Amino acid sequence: MSDESTGPSRRTDTREKIIEAAASLIPELGWGDVSSRRVAERAGVNTGVIHYHVGSIGELRRIAAVRKIRTFFLDRIEEALSQTDPAVAVETMLRALSANDPRDPELLLLYESLVAASRDDELRAEIAAQLAELRQRLCDWFADRGVARPLTVAVTLTAAIDGYLLQRSLDPSVEPGPLIEGLVGLVRQQLAADGS
């Protein structure tokens, strides 16, 4: 007879608690100060359990960061991609991304992860893959809606978002209006180019 307390569901729950604990600690403490001991305390588990479920603390930080970065962007573009007008979608996306407080834990995790990626090739590759997937998804979406140069728009949009989020973290008074106006203008121009 199997013990339900150690079944697959319980192991998954414990692993998820550990990953969530690490993700919550990265913006609070900074990348380098997230240790197995601190994650174990936050997750309410023994330190050895972390290494059983994840391996090293470096791997755990990478898993937590990449997952949160993915959901940060995907959660905010889903509503935008439900729009039919690409210009409206761009505005919706940028407003959703600028709705967070510049010191929001999700944004702080993003910043901490990007700095850490400059010293961690594996983390850099994983974040780059997530961003490439986001760009490709946007490119395909724009192409399906008649945008003349969808890759140009997707790359410009994602680069502008990164820059805007970084500037806003340094200067919370930076408003999204001018960026929205510029990017919406770009999309409308590319729609007109496709129609000519």
Side-chain angles (χ1 to χ4, degrees):
M1 185 174 224
S2 70
D3 178 4
E4 287 186 30
S5 67
T6 59
S9 177
R10 177 133 170 102
R11 283 193 297 268
T12 301
D13 290 346
T14 301
R15 187 173 195 276
E16 291 305 310
K17 277 177 41 178
I18 291 167
I19 293 168
E20 285 299 316
S24 71
L25 287 168
I26 292 169
E28 284 179 30
L29 305 175
W31 188 269
D33 287 335
V34 176
S35 65
S36 296
R37 180 185 57 78
R38 287 181 162 155
V39 172
E41 288 171 0
R42 176 68 54 96
V45 298
N46 182 300
T47 306
V49 172
I50 292 171
H51 301 290
Y52 171 77
H53 284 282
V54 182
S56 70
I57 190 64
E59 182 182 352
L60 173 58
R61 287 188 295 235
R62 279 192 300 275
I63 291 168
V66 170
R67 180 185 290 184
K68 286 294 183 181
I69 289 169
R70 178 181 179 81
T71 58
F72 174 79
F73 286 110
L74 290 180
D75 287 353
R76 283 156 183 83
I77 69 167
E78 286 307 314
E79 180 185 350
L81 299 186
S82 70
Q83 306 294 323
T84 54
D85 180 342
V88 173
V90 167
E91 180 171 356
T92 302
M93 189 180 314
L94 289 165
R95 292 209 184 278
L97 286 164
S98 62
N100 287 54
D101 181 294
R103 304 300 298 167
D104 181 276
E106 286 184 309
L107 288 173
L108 295 176
L109 181 138
L110 175 64
Y111 307 142
E112 284 288 331
S113 302
L114 293 176
V115 170
S118 68
R119 295 180 299 275
D120 181 331
D121 291 338
E122 194 173 338
L123 178 63
R124 181 173 45 251
E126 289 179 32
I127 292 174
Q130 294 298 317
L131 293 175
E133 182 182 330
L134 173 66
R135 282 191 305 272
Q136 188 60 54
R137 185 167 181 193
L138 290 170
C139 178
D140 293 345
W141 189 87
F142 285 127
D144 289 346
R145 277 142 192 91
V147 172
R149 294 175 27 206
L151 181 59
T152 298
V153 174
V155 169
T156 302
L157 178 60
T158 55
I161 288 169
D162 288 346
Y164 170 71
L165 292 175
L166 178 60
Q167 287 184 38
R168 195 161 168 265
S169 73
L170 300 170
D171 180 2
S173 70
V174 175
E175 291 294 326
L179 178 62
I180 291 169
E181 182 180 341
L183 291 172
V184 166
L186 171 67
V187 171
R188 292 209 188 285
Q189 178 185 28
Q190 293 303 311
L191 284 167
D194 187 54
S196 57

